[in-house]
Amino acid sequence: MKFQLSTIEAYNEAYALSLENPSLFWSTIAEHYVWQKKWDTVLEWNFDEPRVEWFKGAKLNITENCIDRHIAERGDQTALIWEPNDPQAAYKKFTYRQLLREVSIMANVLKSIGVQKGDRVCIYMPMIPELAFAVLACARIGAIHSVVFAGFSASSIADRINDSSCAFVITTDGMYRGAKQMPVKSVVDEAVVHCPSVQKIAVINHLNWPTDMQSGRDIWYHEAASHVADSCPAEPMDAEDPLFILYTSGSTGKPKGVVHTCGGYMVYAGYSFANVFQYRDKEVFWCTADIGWVTGHSYILYGPLLNGATTMMFEGIPTYPDAGRFWQVIDKHHVNVFYTAPTAIRSLMASGIDHVLPYNLHSLRVLGSVGEPINEEAWQWYHTHIGKERCPVVDTWWQTETGGIMISALAGITPLKPAHAGLPLPGIQPILVDAEGKEIVGNDVEGYLCIRHPWPSILRTTYGDHERCRINYFATYKQLYFTGDGARRDADGHYRIIGRVDDVINVSGHRFGTAEIENAINQNKAVIESAVVGYPHDIKGQGIYAYVILADHREASDAMRDAIIETLVEQIGRIAKPDKIQFVSGLPKTRSGKIMRRILRKVAEGEFQSLGDTTTLLDPLIVEEIKAGAL
Ligand code: PRX
């Protein structure tokens, strides 16, 4: 069986084998990688605890597979292209040989400040090459990286650092965001006041921004780098040692640290990349996500590098200096495979075709979409105006917890349907269930999407709280991993993801728990209580609609709205700005005190007619007030 499937027959055969004998299937795939020692057992698992162990007994280092193994054959091939924020500034390219050197230097700097195997390292940086080096350097020495997206606030960083007691932080002086420059290190400084575990902060000089350095704690990366060797041995890791933690929002509480491990994650990230995008040697692959999200982990860094690909990292934003920036970059670097989010497509679509026409998009072969449902109109625009009807558009469904793409067409191999994720990858066993957990069989059906058997990159735990992992993902339906998504399986067995069925909302592909946003809003002293729901938004997919009760209703004003937005920016970050804030005097609660979110959702959607039964409400009149004040 080949690692990369190149026909529909090969897909069918691989899928059948993966069902029949998952261990044989995955051990055959795993043979494709370099192991310092092979496994004793392929898979041990039960979803009750849950406990999942892949390739137990094996030793490896993922960076040997991402870099060292390619040196003999493609040492001088470009591994990483970095395109800066400013289109006039010089881009950078790093060959596999240069990447090995940069990662080794970073690894030695980390060692020099005391980082050891198993330590957690928080990385809070913009999209510059040193971010890639930092992630890979942690993996090189067996430290566990916890990348925090640079749009999060000091308070969010502090929560994440504390949850996994990181002793080290890697950051930059500042960053660009379109035409603006923004501080970064000072945000970290503000965070670590509340983080007793932090011992050292390594700072990369990106903007020459005036930066306070605390003696004994903070070091300039370039200074430390000039004193270390440029080679560093790869630490032997157990297959089940953690590789990284990535925080993501759930329906309750604070974001949780999803843990992925070295062996299984490697096997699946590489396999899914090769197959979904049908990557061909020497092609340029561009995933526009930020490395602060799982998409960036798996498909800017690990997946492409495991396949010896040329991967691109983009520092900028889609609309700077104008809405043609993505298409200009594709033209400039002859990008072959382009992977982005529906929100970006919808917003660029709204800017008009004139931003696309000046650029030569001939190099494109495959287009991808990720992070949220793609509506048919956006799919068609992407297919027609960017792919010129030549390029398959793969709609890839997956999650932080799954580590890699789970349901997607394989470009040019399996059939494409607009706005459908399609068929599962080999080794992935989706199942739809009803509210009682009973399997919904047959086709042309809808239900809650679960997965029945482990795949190598399934999350292993949520950091420091295994019980939370069990309750969130493995307790809703017995013996199943529950995704939190609803899905439809059409007459041909293709899946279409409908969206979250829990209290998680997806705003521009960013995931938030409604409770998390409510808790943040409630930090504002003027607020007594709030309730947050998502509503359909033309560009963002979902927008944030907040109902807020003020201590003094007379304070309801635009200035108060701004103050609440400011609170959210402080508590979570600039990505959590609500779209609509409605001041209300009460919330629709049942007699037992539960907020009837169904009603709030309907009002936010502008659907006043079908509110359903409101007679069980403590105060049915409140619904009239909320309807009258709807935004
Ligand atoms: O609701 C699904 C949606 O994004 C959620 C996962 O979010 P996150 O962990 O942040 O990972 C995003 C990138 C993998 C899912 O539960 N989602 C992701 N991809 C799709 C999607 N919804 C529809 N179609 C997709 N292709």
Side-chain angles (χ1 to χ4, degrees):
M1 194 184 49
K2 289 224 177 93
F3 186 77
Q4 192 176 51
L5 305 164
S6 51
T7 60
I8 182 81
E9 292 76 22
Y11 164 79
N12 288 332
E13 204 180 302
Y15 195 80
L17 173 63
S18 77
L19 278 189
E20 194 183 304
N21 192 339
S23 293
L24 174 63
F25 174 78
W26 284 115
S27 62
T28 311
I29 299 299
E31 291 289 349
H32 181 79
Y33 296 88
V34 175
W35 302 83
Q36 294 167 357
K37 175 180 172 287
K38 289 273 171 70
W39 47 92
D40 301 322
T41 54
V42 180
L43 171 65
E44 287 177 23
W45 68 290
N46 75 65
F47 275 174
D48 287 331
E49 294 180 43
R51 180 173 65 91
V52 178
E53 292 172 297
W54 282 96
F55 311 113
K56 214 170 146 184
K59 294 267 184 201
L60 77 148
N61 187 293
I62 194 168
T63 67
E64 284 187 324
N65 281 277
C66 285
I67 316 175
D68 305 58
R69 76 175 296 190
H70 303 307
I71 298 292
E73 206 183 312
R74 54 182 89 234
D76 297 321
Q77 180 199 306
T78 303
L80 183 70
I81 304 174
W82 176 72
E83 173 65 26
N85 175 63
D86 175 1
Q88 309 303 331
Y91 62 86
K92 291 183 185 169
K93 286 188 175 181
F94 299 86
T95 63
Y96 271 93
R97 207 182 307 285
Q98 288 165 332
L99 180 64
L100 181 60
R101 185 168 180 277
E102 296 291 347
V103 170
S104 301
I105 292 172
M106 178 74 80
N108 286 329
V109 168
L110 295 181
K111 280 184 172 175
S112 76
I113 60 173
V115 182
Q116 294 182 1
K117 181 176 181 172
D119 286 345
R120 277 79 57 214
V121 178
C122 172
I123 303 176
Y124 181 77
M125 292 170 62
M127 286 281 283
I128 58 173
E130 288 80 0
L131 168 55
F133 306 154
V135 166
L136 296 165
C138 286
R140 186 93 179 158
I141 63 175
I144 303 167
H145 54 79
S146 168
V147 184
V148 177
F149 173 62
F152 280 115
S153 66
S155 164
S156 291
I157 305 169
D159 283 347
R160 287 158 171 76
I161 289 178
N162 288 335
D163 185 75
S164 47
S165 45
C166 297
F168 305 92
V169 183
I170 310 174
T171 190
T172 60
D173 52 346
M175 66 183 282
Y176 295 107
R177 181 147 182 87
K180 283 190 268 185
Q181 294 192 6
M182 311 205 306
V184 177
K185 165 69 163 52
S186 63
V187 183
V188 172
D189 286 341
E190 206 185 318
V192 299
V193 170
H194 308 284
C195 304
S197 58
V198 171
Q199 293 165 14
K200 296 275 181 205
I201 302 178
V203 189
I204 287 127
N205 180 10
H206 181 41
L207 299 186
N208 281 321
W209 189 290
T211 302
D212 285 338
M213 299 291 278
Q214 184 177 311
S215 137
R217 187 194 67 184
D218 303 347
I219 61 146
W220 282 110
Y221 177 70
H222 60 274
E223 288 174 4
S226 64
H227 298 122
V228 299
D230 62 2
S231 75
C232 172
E235 185 69 29
M237 304 298 287
D238 285 342
E240 280 296 321
D241 279 338
L243 173 64
F244 66 85
I245 304 170
L246 192 54
Y247 285 85
T248 191
S249 298
S251 41
T252 54
K254 292 201 167 171
K256 46 193 184 290
V258 166
V259 176
H260 284 290
T261 56
C262 296
Y265 175 82
M266 170 179 81
V267 168
Y268 199 75
Y271 183 68
S272 53
F273 175 81
N275 282 292
V276 170
F277 303 106
Q278 290 291 306
Y279 180 79
R280 296 178 187 165
D281 215 19
K282 306 230 162 37
E283 284 188 330
V284 175
F285 178 84
W286 181 20
C287 164
T288 67
D290 192 289
I291 291 176
W293 309 113
V294 75
T295 308
H297 282 56
S298 299
Y299 301 109
I300 294 176
L301 293 180
Y302 290 116
L305 296 176
L306 286 165
N307 283 278
T310 298
T311 186
M312 190 155 74
M313 234 178 124
F314 175 50
E315 187 191 20
I317 56 172
T319 49
Y320 176 77
D322 60 48
R325 181 66 161 133
F326 272 2
W327 323 126
Q328 181 248 332
V329 173
I330 291 173
D331 186 351
K332 177 173 173 183
H333 294 289
H334 311 294
V335 171
N336 304 106
V337 185
F338 178 66
Y339 189 33
T340 196
T343 292
I345 299 167
R346 286 188 294 259
S347 85
L348 297 176
M349 183 169 101
S351 309
I353 191 72
D354 288 350
H355 287 288
V356 183
L357 293 176
Y359 303 106
N360 182 345
L361 304 181
H362 242 74
S363 56
L364 287 174
R365 184 179 61 80
V366 173
L367 300 176
S369 169
V370 60
E372 30 167 346
I374 178 164
N375 47 313
E376 189 148 349
E377 195 192 352
W379 195 100
Q380 293 294 1
W381 186 86
Y382 197 29
H383 185 244
T384 309
H385 296 292
I386 306 305
K388 316 290 182 197
E389 296 182 354
R390 302 180 285 106
C391 306
V393 176
V394 293
D395 176 9
T396 64
W397 172 81
W398 58 298
Q399 311 178 294
T400 306
E401 295 86 343
T402 70
I405 297 166
M406 303 285 280
I407 302 181
S408 168
L410 310 186
I413 308 290
T414 53
L416 285 183
K417 272 191 204 168
H420 283 66
L423 297 171
L425 264 67
I428 306 306
Q429 300 185 30
I431 152 171
L432 297 179
V433 299
D434 65 16
E436 276 71 53
K438 203 163 137 278
E439 177 168 6
I440 301 172
V441 291
N443 286 343
D444 208 2
V445 290
E446 210 171 292
Y448 299 118
L449 178 62
C450 296
I451 314 285
R452 151 156 54 203
H453 187 279
W455 61 100
S457 60
I458 185 174
L459 86 160
R460 300 303 196 267
T461 190
T462 45
Y463 194 87
D465 194 351
H466 195 61
E467 179 60 6
R468 190 164 176 206
C469 171
R470 188 184 72 79
I471 290 178
N472 263 299
Y473 307 106
F474 299 93
T476 317
Y477 304 114
K478 205 164 166 41
Q479 293 297 335
L480 297 175
Y481 164 82
F482 177 43
T483 63
D485 281 317
R488 209 187 144 66
R489 187 167 52 226
D490 73 7
D492 303 319
H494 286 233
Y495 288 85
R496 176 182 194 140
I497 308 301
I498 299 164
R500 301 291 301 199
V501 293
D502 53 7
D503 288 323
V504 168
I505 53 179
N506 191 329
V507 184
S508 304
H510 300 150
R511 199 168 139 177
F512 298 102
T514 51
E516 173 192 4
I517 302 181
E518 289 160 10
N519 291 338
I521 292 177
N522 299 350
Q523 297 297 314
N524 188 304
K525 290 203 168 46
V527 174
I528 289 196
E529 195 180 1
S530 59
V532 165
V533 295
Y535 72 98
H537 187 289
D538 285 350
I539 304 285
K540 299 176 175 184
Q542 280 189 298
I544 301 177
Y545 195 121
Y547 298 88
V548 175
I549 306 176
L550 295 175
D552 181 350
H553 200 59
R554 287 166 305 184
E555 284 192 66
S557 63
D558 283 344
M560 180 56 78
R561 278 199 181 89
D562 291 344
I564 290 172
I565 292 173
E566 191 47 38
T567 306
L568 268 170
V569 170
E570 264 169 32
Q571 294 293 321
I572 301 180
R574 58 180 145 79
I575 52 176
K577 285 187 184 169
D579 299 274
K580 295 184 178 180
I581 299 176
Q582 180 181 349
F583 296 112
V584 292
S585 67
L587 290 166
K589 288 191 180 167
T590 60
R591 293 196 181 96
S592 57
K594 204 168 164 277
I595 297 173
M596 278 180 99
R597 289 174 182 277
R598 176 176 54 82
I599 294 177
L600 297 177
R601 265 186 232 117
K602 290 275 182 204
V603 173
E605 284 165 17
E607 276 197 39
F608 296 169
Q609 305 311 325
S610 53
L611 294 184
D613 183 13
T614 54
T615 52
T616 54
L617 289 178
L618 196 59
D619 173 14
L621 286 183
I622 197 69
V623 177
E624 296 311 312
E625 180 206 308
I626 290 177
K627 273 165 41 181
L631 301 169

